[in-house]
Amino acid sequence: FAGLGDFAKIDELIAKREQLSPSVIRESSITMTQDLLNHPQFQQFDTIYIYLPVRNEIDTSYLITKALQANKTVAVPVILSKEDMVFQKINGTGKYHEDRYHILEPVYDPKSVIDRPGLMIVPLVGFSGRRRIGYGGQYFNNYLKHRKNLYTIGVGYQFQSIPELPEDDRDILLNEIRAY
């Protein structure tokens, strides 16, 4: 993210998100859920790849519940190494722990790893067009660079939009970004 002022813009976006009230987070999360439940890709795919929220990200728990109720396969990220993650199937009742980034993830079970076509809901720190800013670990970019069978939707708040984002050859363009 060279050109973002030594991550100053990222820090600013994270700080602004962390100041959001619970009611704003809840309203945005419910709006996102209703929007994505009606999305053609949500209806088309049987597998939903989705993140578990941290630090006032849009709350995906409502969408996870609805997807499970619709008998969709739901998978969330599990960090395996400094650069690698997989997505593991959840059923809503499994055991979770905090990873090194203080994000909840299921206890790793290689038999539950999912890697097939589906819809992926991606968290955002910021975005410009279809390009996303994450925390800088490159986990989603690394995961997506070899998987063309996923339809990706980044979700975030409207204030996370950045007019211009410097090019980074590691970036993977998302299919869509939706801000609430």
Side-chain angles (χ1 to χ4, degrees):
F1 301 112
L4 282 180
D6 293 327
F7 299 97
K9 186 65 172 174
I10 293 171
D11 291 342
E12 179 183 313
L13 290 170
I14 292 169
K16 189 168 185 176
R17 192 180 68 206
E18 288 178 341
Q19 294 171 6
L20 293 174
S21 70
S23 63
V24 167
I25 297 165
R26 185 175 53 256
E27 288 170 22
S28 298
S29 302
I30 290 170
T31 300
M32 180 269 303
T33 299
Q34 293 167 339
D35 180 39
L36 294 182
L37 286 174
N38 293 315
H39 195 287
Q41 300 296 334
F42 183 86
Q43 295 170 11
Q44 173 187 337
F45 285 111
D46 292 327
T47 302
I48 309 299
Y49 298 84
I50 193 164
Y51 67 93
L52 297 174
V54 66
R55 300 172 74 183
N56 287 355
E57 290 173 331
I58 293 225
D59 187 350
T60 56
S61 63
Y62 306 107
L63 187 58
I64 290 170
T65 298
K66 293 291 187 182
L68 289 169
Q69 289 171 348
N71 293 318
K72 306 259 186 199
T73 297
V74 177
V76 298
V78 175
I79 304 297
L80 296 181
S81 70
K82 195 173 181 183
E83 299 156 351
D84 196 25
M85 75 176 177
V86 295
F87 278 79
Q88 183 170 309
K89 180 180 177 179
I90 60 168
N91 60 18
T93 61
K95 294 185 180 194
Y96 293 83
H97 67 95
E98 274 191 21
D99 69 10
R100 68 176 134 245
Y101 301 108
H102 306 289
I103 300 170
L104 282 181
E105 65 180 22
V107 174
Y108 178 58
D109 176 6
K111 291 182 241 151
S112 296
V113 170
I114 303 290
D115 191 1
R116 59 183 177 226
L119 170 63
M120 179 180 281
I121 308 303
V122 183
L124 306 171
V125 171
F127 65 93
S128 180
R130 292 179 18 223
R131 295 180 65 218
R132 74 179 280 273
I133 297 172
Y135 288 102
Q138 296 297 314
Y139 288 101
F140 279 92
N141 286 344
N142 290 341
Y143 187 83
L144 290 169
K145 71 181 164 189
H146 300 296
R147 290 173 177 86
K148 306 301 180 205
N149 60 355
L150 297 174
Y151 190 90
T152 54
I153 301 176
V155 295
Y157 300 100
Q158 291 179 356
F159 71 82
Q160 292 174 300
S161 177
I162 297 171
E164 288 188 38
L165 191 58
E167 292 286 329
D168 185 330
D169 60 0
R170 299 173 297 175
D171 286 346
I172 303 294
L173 290 179
L174 301 179
N175 294 104
E176 296 180 41
I177 291 186
R178 296 188 170 231
Y180 304 95

